[in-house]
Amino acid sequence: MNKARIKNTDEIVLAEELPKLFPNYKELVFVCVDNKCSIRMAPACIKKSSKRRPHFKKYRNQEHIDNCEYAVLNDLYQKGKDQKLTNIQINKIGYPSVFHIKEKFEYDENEAHIEKNDNIDEGITGRGEIARLYEFDSENIKFDRRNKVQSIDRIVDWYLGFPYNRDVEIEIKGNRIEYQYFFKKIKQNTHSSQLHNERIFYGRIMLSNKNQDAFDKYNESVYLTLLGFQKKDEISGQYENYSIKVNKNSMSRTLLSKLKNKYNELFKKAFIDFQEDNIKPDYGLYAFVYGKIDEKNNTILNVEKHHITFRYDEVRKTMKERDN
């Protein structure tokens, strides 16, 4: 499990953030995030030298209660990476079903109220940290319009974490599209005509000094060069690589700072692995963006607001094989 709760404060923390937020985490007591369960949890693989991702694990002599919602959901998340889930299981988890790209949510009296939080870059959902478990009478997927998100983080999480269930739909601007058609990979010989503004585009970030500290090089924009290119000039041998341009002024300072810190952390890790020839096969540093081609330069993707996120060592081969 990637989350646990600090027993004395009830604060929920991510395993990968422990060393940064709680340097003395070994002195803390962690329990399951489900208040009805609350069994003791132990941090694992926290050190940078560990080959596995940081996580929490239960003690050998303890078990989650039978109706522990978080344990059930965590089990489904793990299954979803390797096999197709049933519709009933998908309904239990819930998934981002509406991409609300406006700056603020508009209240709809026909829908449940959706509360805001400070972690807007992680997405906003009507279900909260733990999705409620429902009993369903049939195998029909319940399209829940309350599961709205304003950023693409949780949309990307579903795409990467459930590669065998990409036939579920997401609604954008009143239209529905399956996840498998909502994502477009930017790779070699990708023509700019394929990069319109109704998709989430993603490509590997070039691990070079050019992309290092990219958020600090210009005052108003961030430029990231991708490995994917439109074409290669046969005479000069030069590639016309695609780039991502992020408008800093379209984001709050808090959100921009979070995005910068996430990028710097992942880039540093990926860059070191690249220099030491230690990158795992079929892994890479990826940028996921919801944007559109610049009208003056058809190799630059313009990104506004909070429509960009980064991933490293989460884009696995089994997922990539199912890409369009």
Side-chain angles (χ1 to χ4, degrees):
M1 295 183 174
N2 66 337
K3 297 179 183 178
R5 181 163 47 91
I6 300 177
K7 185 176 182 180
N8 294 336
T9 65
D10 281 339
E11 182 177 357
I12 296 177
V13 295
L14 296 173
E16 59 188 17
E17 294 184 350
L18 276 182
K20 179 173 60 177
L21 300 179
F22 303 94
N24 300 322
Y25 67 87
K26 293 182 180 179
E27 301 175 5
L28 300 175
V29 176
F30 300 96
V31 295
C32 177
V33 297
D34 190 330
N35 290 313
K36 294 177 295 184
C37 182
S38 296
I39 66 166
R40 186 82 178 269
M41 305 291 289
C45 302
I46 302 299
K47 296 181 179 180
K48 293 183 179 180
S49 58
S50 177
K51 294 183 179 180
R52 295 187 59 190
R53 293 183 62 81
H55 62 279
F56 291 96
K57 64 180 181 180
K58 65 180 182 62
Y59 287 80
R60 292 183 179 180
N61 59 343
Q62 297 188 34
E63 294 294 337
H64 292 276
I65 61 175
D66 292 339
N67 61 341
C68 174
E69 294 183 354
Y70 192 71
V72 172
L73 291 175
N74 186 72
D75 181 59
L76 292 178
Y77 280 120
Q78 297 304 315
K79 288 183 178 178
K81 295 178 180 179
D82 302 312
Q83 65 187 59
K84 187 176 180 66
L85 298 182
T86 66
N87 292 350
I88 290 179
Q89 290 172 322
I90 295 175
N91 280 326
K92 286 183 178 181
I93 293 176
Y95 67 93
S97 54
V98 178
F99 183 26
H100 194 100
I101 63 175
K102 294 183 179 180
E103 188 65 29
K104 295 181 180 179
F105 280 127
E106 297 174 352
Y107 180 75
D108 186 340
E109 61 181 5
N110 295 321
E111 297 176 358
H113 178 61
I114 300 174
E115 297 182 355
K116 290 186 177 183
N117 57 40
D118 293 332
N119 297 321
I120 194 171
D121 56 318
E122 295 179 358
I124 297 176
T125 175
R127 293 187 183 277
E129 287 293 338
I130 303 177
R132 293 179 57 191
L133 299 183
Y134 296 91
E135 295 295 333
F136 295 91
D137 297 328
S138 69
E139 276 279 320
N140 295 324
I141 291 181
K142 180 182 178 183
F143 189 87
D144 194 344
R145 297 195 74 254
R146 293 174 299 174
N147 283 343
K148 294 183 178 181
V149 291
Q150 286 189 124
S151 75
I152 66 173
D153 278 83
R154 289 190 59 243
I155 298 175
V156 173
D157 288 342
W158 178 271
Y159 183 80
L160 297 180
F162 299 86
Y164 301 96
N165 287 101
R166 291 178 178 169
D167 55 345
V168 295
E169 293 181 326
I170 186 167
E171 180 180 307
I172 175 173
K173 296 181 179 180
N175 299 314
R176 294 185 185 180
I177 183 173
E178 292 183 5
Y179 266 72
Q180 59 188 326
Y181 303 121
F182 190 46
F183 285 73
K184 176 66 179 179
K185 185 177 181 180
I186 301 176
K187 50 188 178 181
Q188 62 182 28
N189 297 317
T190 299
H191 197 274
S192 59
S193 62
Q194 302 177 39
L195 309 182
H196 54 86
N197 63 348
E198 295 297 328
R199 297 289 186 273
I200 291 178
F201 307 107
Y202 68 100
R204 292 183 68 166
I205 296 175
M206 184 180 294
L207 297 176
S208 66
N209 292 323
K210 185 177 182 180
N211 283 326
Q212 194 168 27
D213 299 319
F215 279 77
D216 297 321
K217 291 184 176 180
Y218 301 97
N219 293 328
E220 297 184 353
S221 302
V222 179
Y223 291 90
L224 303 172
T225 303
L226 303 180
L227 286 176
F229 57 87
Q230 182 169 215
K231 62 181 179 179
K232 177 182 179 181
D233 189 289
E234 298 298 333
I235 299 177
S236 65
Q238 297 295 316
Y239 294 93
E240 292 186 20
N241 292 77
Y242 283 100
S243 297
I244 297 171
K245 178 185 177 182
V246 183
N247 181 7
K248 289 184 177 181
N249 296 325
S250 68
M251 303 181 186
S252 67
R253 292 184 179 180
T254 300
L255 180 57
L256 183 62
S257 177
K258 288 182 178 181
L259 191 64
K260 170 185 172 180
N261 292 337
K262 181 175 184 178
Y263 174 80
N264 286 345
E265 181 180 353
L266 295 180
F267 185 88
K268 180 179 179 181
K269 180 180 178 182
F271 198 32
I272 291 176
D273 287 346
F274 173 71
Q275 291 177 320
E276 297 178 353
D277 195 24
N278 194 35
I279 290 184
K280 300 175 184 178
D282 304 303
Y283 280 54
L285 177 60
Y286 282 79
F288 290 77
V289 302
Y290 178 84
K292 58 183 179 181
I293 287 293
D294 190 288
E295 295 180 357
K296 299 179 180 179
N297 190 329
N298 62 5
T299 61
I300 292 182
L301 278 169
N302 283 322
V303 181
E304 302 287 336
K305 304 175 185 177
H306 33 268
H307 297 156
I308 180 171
T309 189
F310 307 103
R311 296 291 189 274
Y312 178 58
D313 79 15
E314 294 184 5
V315 185
R316 291 181 166 83
K317 180 179 180 181
T318 54
M319 302 173 186
K320 290 166 61 180
E321 288 175 345
R322 297 176 64 84
D323 292 339
N324 296 308

